[in-house]
Amino acid sequence: MKQTHLQELVMPWFESMPDAALLSALTATAIGVGSLLLIYMFTRRLLLPGIQKVVTRLSPERIGALTPMLNKLNRRFAGILCCVLYLATFDYVYPVHDVAALVLKTVGQVALIIYGGFILSSVVSIAGGIYNQLDFARDIPIQGLIQVVKLITFMVCAILIVSILLEKSPTYILSGFGAIAAVTLLVFKDTILGFVASIQIAANRLVTYGDWIQVDSYGADGEVIDLGLNTVKVRNWDNTITTIPTYMLVAGSFKNWRGMQESGGRRIKRALNIDMNSIRLVDDAFREQIDAAIPLNDYIRVSSLPDPVTNLGLFRRYAEGYLKQHEKINRDLTLMVRELQPMNHGLPIEFYCFSEDKRWISYEHLQAEIMDHLLAVLPIFGLRPYQSVTGQLSTSEAQTGLKPSIKVANPVREKT
């Protein structure tokens, strides 16, 4: 049945044409199609690549980095050129039936709009690539704005295509959006929120590519590798990728370690819990014993020590002098050794300073080196770190003659 209708539609057109006219029409169509293919190949393979090579020589590093985007632009430009020539010469080269002419022209117009949208998208991408090569681009990323421009471009193209297919004015299509505004807002809620957040992030310089951020609610702790319109991608230190909604960086809270990376050092804040039973006053004889193992005068001004002084006070002053003389510690930033609130796990002694080397591995090695040294000199000052009793004397306790103190959570008096 469908074949019969097709024959009734097509055959009269061929039957009404003489053989010479039919041959002329087919020949003209073949020439038109072949010309378009030749123009496409010439433009795509020779003309545009030649222009691209000449332009690239002006700045090989900057323009060379845009080669993939330029190649894509070349293909799309060759396509839109063919669409323009196709529509401009259609009435002269393609003698077809009125119905077929309407369909073919509509296809050409739709293709022209699609290629136009793709070309604008490529131009925006190239502009973004040029912007990213600027020095201040890392501080003010515009990836979200680029995606918004592309989204608007494709929405406009979609409206134009629908208006062509329905043979209605674009204003007629837009007038119908009021009825579905609520649905549109619901569908594009994340996009709208992401767009607003992207503007705030760029304006306030909250985060940029390469920043180390920490977002506990999403389990993200690593380097920002992508700032998109809807999502931010973070490569965690275990090489996993965490995706965070862009608007959450504005609506919620996160920690950005950029300040540490741009400062003069990375903070070291560690504590040792001292067994309070090992704290005692020291006399001159014990001070001489310490001085025989460690030259205190190299780290402490002995003349400024209070009298009497405790072994913990000597240790604190020695630790502070040791940190001040350490070649890898930034002495221009805050440096101190302090006592914290006593707890049931001993008396915490905190070491607060800044490492000059902010790289992770070097930073961790420096922390370990400092803690190893301070733990090793504790027995020299007659101090013990707090730890659970094992029932066996440690090496340091055996050397100093200190006995482990037994800690009882709830002592009970003996009945008499």
Side-chain angles (χ1 to χ4, degrees):
M1 186 68 179
K2 292 182 178 180
Q3 185 176 3
T4 302
H5 288 301
L6 182 61
Q7 291 177 351
E8 293 177 353
L9 179 65
V10 177
M11 292 305 296
W13 175 57
F14 286 100
E15 291 175 354
S16 62
M17 296 180 62
D19 294 340
L22 177 60
L23 181 60
S24 299
L26 294 176
T27 303
T29 302
I31 293 175
V33 173
S35 300
L36 290 177
L37 291 176
L38 289 175
I39 292 172
Y40 178 83
M41 296 302 296
F42 172 76
T43 307
R44 172 70 185 89
R45 300 295 182 183
L46 296 176
L47 179 61
L48 295 178
I51 297 175
Q52 181 178 335
K53 288 181 181 179
V54 173
V55 175
T56 303
R57 290 175 184 174
L58 300 176
S59 180
E61 294 182 358
R62 291 183 177 273
I63 302 180
L66 306 174
T67 299
M69 290 182 283
L70 290 174
N71 291 336
K72 189 179 293 185
L73 178 62
N74 290 344
R75 294 194 300 268
R76 294 172 176 178
F77 187 82
I80 197 172
L81 179 61
C82 292
C83 290
V84 172
L85 293 176
Y86 171 76
L87 293 174
T89 61
F90 185 86
D91 294 331
Y92 307 100
V93 180
Y94 307 97
V96 294
H97 194 269
D98 292 341
V99 177
L102 178 62
V103 173
L104 293 176
K105 282 185 177 180
T106 302
V107 171
Q109 291 171 351
V110 170
L112 179 65
I113 294 173
I114 293 175
Y115 272 113
F118 281 144
I119 286 178
L120 184 56
S121 175
S122 295
V123 171
V124 172
S125 297
I126 292 173
I130 296 174
Y131 175 84
N132 290 333
Q133 295 176 354
L134 301 177
D135 296 334
F136 57 85
R138 292 183 61 86
D139 298 329
I140 309 178
I142 60 170
Q143 182 63 27
L145 299 179
I146 291 175
Q147 292 180 346
V148 168
V149 173
K150 290 183 178 181
L151 178 62
I152 294 175
T153 299
F154 292 128
M155 290 179 63
V156 171
C157 291
I159 294 172
L160 293 177
I161 291 173
V162 172
S163 65
I164 290 175
L165 295 176
L166 298 179
E167 296 183 353
K168 298 290 185 180
S169 172
T171 56
Y172 175 82
I173 306 298
L174 291 174
S175 64
F177 281 177
I180 57 173
V183 178
T184 303
L185 291 176
L186 181 63
V187 172
F188 294 101
K189 181 190 70 172
D190 292 342
T191 302
I192 296 172
L193 292 175
F195 171 64
V196 177
S198 298
I199 296 176
Q200 293 178 334
I201 289 172
N204 299 320
R205 300 186 181 184
L206 298 180
V207 65
T208 185
Y209 295 103
D211 280 1
W212 170 13
I213 68 171
Q214 183 177 342
V215 188
D216 295 331
S217 58
Y218 284 86
D221 185 10
E223 182 180 357
V224 176
I225 60 175
D226 184 42
L227 272 172
L229 178 62
N230 293 322
T231 58
V232 175
K233 292 183 180 178
V234 178
R235 184 186 299 278
N236 300 312
W237 300 125
D238 58 359
N239 284 332
T240 58
I241 304 294
T242 300
T243 301
I244 306 170
T246 304
Y247 63 85
M248 285 304 301
L249 296 182
V250 177
S253 62
F254 68 97
K255 182 183 292 186
N256 192 334
W257 292 83
R258 186 200 309 161
M260 178 274 296
Q261 294 171 333
E262 295 175 350
S263 67
R266 185 170 179 178
R267 187 181 69 175
I268 296 176
K269 185 180 178 183
R270 302 290 291 271
L272 284 176
N273 288 345
I274 303 297
D275 185 351
M276 288 183 284
N277 292 320
S278 64
I279 302 174
R280 59 190 176 94
L281 295 172
V282 299
D283 51 19
D284 293 338
F286 187 75
R287 190 180 301 177
E288 292 176 359
Q289 180 182 343
I290 297 175
D291 195 59
I294 299 175
L296 289 178
N297 289 324
D298 294 345
Y299 301 94
I300 305 174
R301 289 199 308 173
V302 179
S303 59
S304 64
L305 291 175
D307 191 20
V309 65
T310 64
N311 55 349
L312 181 59
L314 282 176
F315 172 73
R316 284 192 293 103
R317 289 171 172 81
Y318 165 78
E320 194 165 297
Y322 167 77
L323 293 176
K324 287 180 179 179
Q325 297 185 22
H326 202 292
E327 59 181 5
K328 297 181 180 179
I329 297 297
N330 191 332
R331 291 178 289 274
D332 296 330
L333 300 177
T334 305
L335 189 155
M336 64 177 174
V337 178
R338 61 173 182 166
E339 292 184 8
L340 302 180
Q341 177 69 30
M343 302 184 300
N344 57 344
H345 294 298
L347 177 62
I349 302 298
E350 184 181 81
F351 312 100
Y352 192 100
C353 57
F354 288 83
S355 166
E356 285 188 338
D357 194 340
K358 293 168 282 188
R359 294 174 298 178
W360 189 15
I361 296 178
S362 302
Y363 166 77
E364 293 294 344
H365 286 174
L366 177 59
Q367 281 196 114
E369 176 187 328
I370 292 173
M371 297 303 294
D372 290 347
H373 176 82
L374 296 177
L375 279 169
V377 300
L378 269 182
I380 297 176
F381 292 87
L383 295 168
R384 286 193 301 264
Y386 181 91
Q387 60 182 10
S388 300
V389 178
T390 62
Q392 182 178 0
L393 286 175
S394 64
T395 303
S396 60
E397 290 171 336
Q399 291 175 350
T400 58
L402 294 173
K403 296 181 180 180
S405 58
I406 301 176
K407 299 166 182 63
V408 182
N410 296 305
V412 181
R413 295 182 179 180
E414 295 183 358
K415 297 181 179 179
T416 56

